[in-house]
């Protein structure tokens, strides 16, 4: 498929049109969307959202990485060693704010503070630091990791929405291209009829069977059809250039349509199969499974984590630390509970204005998202139901226009027979033909709206199909 596509879509300077349809120059709707989904830069950009979420998750996990810290100070002046201090620490953060650590201290020198006196071979310690109130059940690193996990899942839903949107936009452009092509073929066919009629009338004028005014009217019809054809060529050229905006190959190489590439005029079954329209129209809509609702739900969960973190900061800070001390760490029983280094740190703001303000702001954001979820749920449900009813209406409109065009064709054929028998005028024939052209243009317009509505239903459900 890829080689075929490259042959079809390598450079052009103008649009030409083929009179016959072959498999080699038809760009099918599903092939087109397949290349859009695989190579379009915006689709690749959507995948970066997943990569970004993975990077943020890795970053948040870094808060739980073990750490090695070494603090070394030395002072020597006029051959006097004032102090030589080494402090090495190994820390292991854990989930519930508890931190395990082991240290080694070695201090020498003539002017050490008394509290820094240590055994000659240094002193080892192993202990734990525990927050008893604020930071025990939830803290910054726990909240960051939870939110990063939620953001990763939210990014997957957002990616589906981004991809669906670009496929939706690409679909509308393809349908406009198809509409312009159908209008072009329509005017080409009626131009042939008008020229054939003009030649016949002109010959009748030459032999005296028709008046000169009949040839003038026939020529007016020819020029009208030529004008319509030229206008349809411009529309098709613009539509083809717009379509080229969505055509890319690997390594971000843009491509343009070759002059003889045409849309598939019998594309309705392919559109329905690509969008899976029958299932979308008949299945009961499960709004809660919509990617937009899933994304908002993960956003709400992230805000709930933030709200719990802000509420936890209303608690006082009570941090306890206890470390066993020993000179010989290789002997397990050398750790004696009577030999230790411990500490207690308590702090509590008297008014908690900052903490209470942060919590209130977090609750406001939470409530705002809940309102957004409720509004989005109703909007999606109403939009989807409206599009389903609109599709049903377009089915009826297509049947009506098909019957109307068929009647216009019969009326034109009857008028042409009467004209050949001398019972009608060229004016009436042209009038009937104009009505038929208007009817067929209306049928093409309704088909375009029908396809566009299918694309809107596909977009409203944010489906990400396998292409």
């Amino acid at each position: 498929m890829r080689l075929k596509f490259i042959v079809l879509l390598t450079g052009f300077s103008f649009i030409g049109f083929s009179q016959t349809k072959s498999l080699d120059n038809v760009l099918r709707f599903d092939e087109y969307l397949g290349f859009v989904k695989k190579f379009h830069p915006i689709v690749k950009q959507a995948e970066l959202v997943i990569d970004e979420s993975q990077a943020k998750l890795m970053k948040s996990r870094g808060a739980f990485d073990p750490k090695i810290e070494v603090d070394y100070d030395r002072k020597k002046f006029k051959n006097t060693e004032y102090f030589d201090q080494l402090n090495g620490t190994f820390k292991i953060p854990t989930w519930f704010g508890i931190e395990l650590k082991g240290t080694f201290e070695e201090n020498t020198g003539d002017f050490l503070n008394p509290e820094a006196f240590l055994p000659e071979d240094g002193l080892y310690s192993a202990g734990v630091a525990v927050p008893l109130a604020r930071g025990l059940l939830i803290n910054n690193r726990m909240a960051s990791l939870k939110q990063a996990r939620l953001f990763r899942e939210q990014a997957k839903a957002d990616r589906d929405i981004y991809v669906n949107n670009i496929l939706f936009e690409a679909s509308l452009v393809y349908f406009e291209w198809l509409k312009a092509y159908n209008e072009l073929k329509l005017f080409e066919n009626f131009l042939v009829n008008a020229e054939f009629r003009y030649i016949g009338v002109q010959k009748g004028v030459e032999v005296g069977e028709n008046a000169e005014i009949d040839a003038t009217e026939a020529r007016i019809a020819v020029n009208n059809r030529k004008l319509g054809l030229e206008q349809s060529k411009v529309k098709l050229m613009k539509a083809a250039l717009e379509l080229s905006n969505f055509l890319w190959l690997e390594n971000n190489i843009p491509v343009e349509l070759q002059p003889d590439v045409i849309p598939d005029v019998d594309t309705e079954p392919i559109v329905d199969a690509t969008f899976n329209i029958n299932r979308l129209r008949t299945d009961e809509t499960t709004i809660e499974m919509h990617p937009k609702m899933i994304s908002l739900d993960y956003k709400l969960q992230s805000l709930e984590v933030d709200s719990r973190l802000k509420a936890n900061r209303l608690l006082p800070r009570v941090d306890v630390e206890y470390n066993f001390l020993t000179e010989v760490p290789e002997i397990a029983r050398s750790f004696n509970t009577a030999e230790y280094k411990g500490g207690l740190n308590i702090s509590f703001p008297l008014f908690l204005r900052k903490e209470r303000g942060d919590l209130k702001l977090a609750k406001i954001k939470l409530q705002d998202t809940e309102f957004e979820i409720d509004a989005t749920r109703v909007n999606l449900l109403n939009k989807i139901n409206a599009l389903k009813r609109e599709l049903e209406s377009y089915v009826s409109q297509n049947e009506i226009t098909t019957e109307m065009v068929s009647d216009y064709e019969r009326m034109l054929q009857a008028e042409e027979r009467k004209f050949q028998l001398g019972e009608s005028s060229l004016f009436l024939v042209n009038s009937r033909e104009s009505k038929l052209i208007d009817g067929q243009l209306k049928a093409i317009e309704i088909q375009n709206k029908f396809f566009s509505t299918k694309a809107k239903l596909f977009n409203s459900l944010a489906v990400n199909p396998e292409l």
Side-chain angles (χ1 to χ4, degrees), residues 239-360:
L241 290 173
E242 186 71 19
L243 190 78
S244 297
N245 293 334
F246 293 90
L247 296 177
W248 297 75
L249 294 177
E250 287 182 295
N251 301 320
N252 297 327
I253 301 175
V255 293
E256 294 179 347
L257 289 174
Q258 205 175 30
D260 61 343
V261 178
I262 62 174
D264 185 3
V265 295
D266 301 319
T267 195
E268 183 172 356
I270 298 175
V271 170
D272 291 347
T274 303
F275 289 159
N276 204 355
I277 287 297
N278 291 332
R279 184 181 65 82
L280 297 183
R281 289 177 61 185
T282 57
D283 285 4
E284 289 295 326
T285 304
T286 307
I287 293 297
E288 301 306 322
M289 299 304 296
H290 192 285
K292 181 63 176 178
M293 297 301 297
I294 294 174
S295 176
L296 287 174
D297 182 63
Y298 283 121
K299 178 182 176 181
L300 182 67
Q301 292 182 50
S302 179
L303 291 174
E304 288 173 345
V305 172
D306 185 63
S307 181
R308 289 199 301 270
L309 177 63
K310 298 297 192 298
N312 183 262
R313 289 177 179 172
L314 295 176
L315 298 175
R317 179 178 294 279
V318 182
D319 296 336
V320 176
E321 183 175 351
Y322 183 88
N323 297 278
F324 295 103
L325 301 177
T326 182
E327 296 181 61
V328 283
E330 64 273 10
I331 303 176
R333 62 177 181 273
S334 66
F335 288 100
N336 187 344
T337 56
E339 297 177 346
Y340 66 90
K341 181 173 68 174
L344 173 65
N345 180 276
I346 300 176
S347 64
F348 185 68
L350 294 181
F351 299 111
L352 292 172
R353 284 181 289 198
K354 178 180 181 299
E355 289 76 9
R356 287 188 289 116
D358 287 341
L359 178 59
K360 188 173 183 179

Side-chain angles (χ1 to χ4, degrees), residues 151-201:
F151 178 72
R152 179 184 60 181
E153 299 304 316
Q154 181 183 359
K156 294 177 182 178
D158 291 339
R159 184 267 315 273
D160 289 342
I161 296 174
Y162 295 148
V163 173
N164 178 272
N165 284 337
I166 192 64
L167 293 180
F168 167 67
E169 293 175 10
S171 299
L172 295 183
V173 171
Y174 184 92
F175 298 149
E176 285 296 321
W177 183 45
L178 174 63
K179 174 187 171 185
Y181 176 78
N182 285 332
E183 290 180 357
L184 175 83
K185 303 305 293 182
L186 175 67
F187 282 108
E188 282 183 345
N189 293 333
F190 279 103
L191 176 60
V192 172
N193 293 341
E195 289 177 338
F196 180 77
R197 192 180 299 121
Y198 173 69
I199 293 172
V201 171

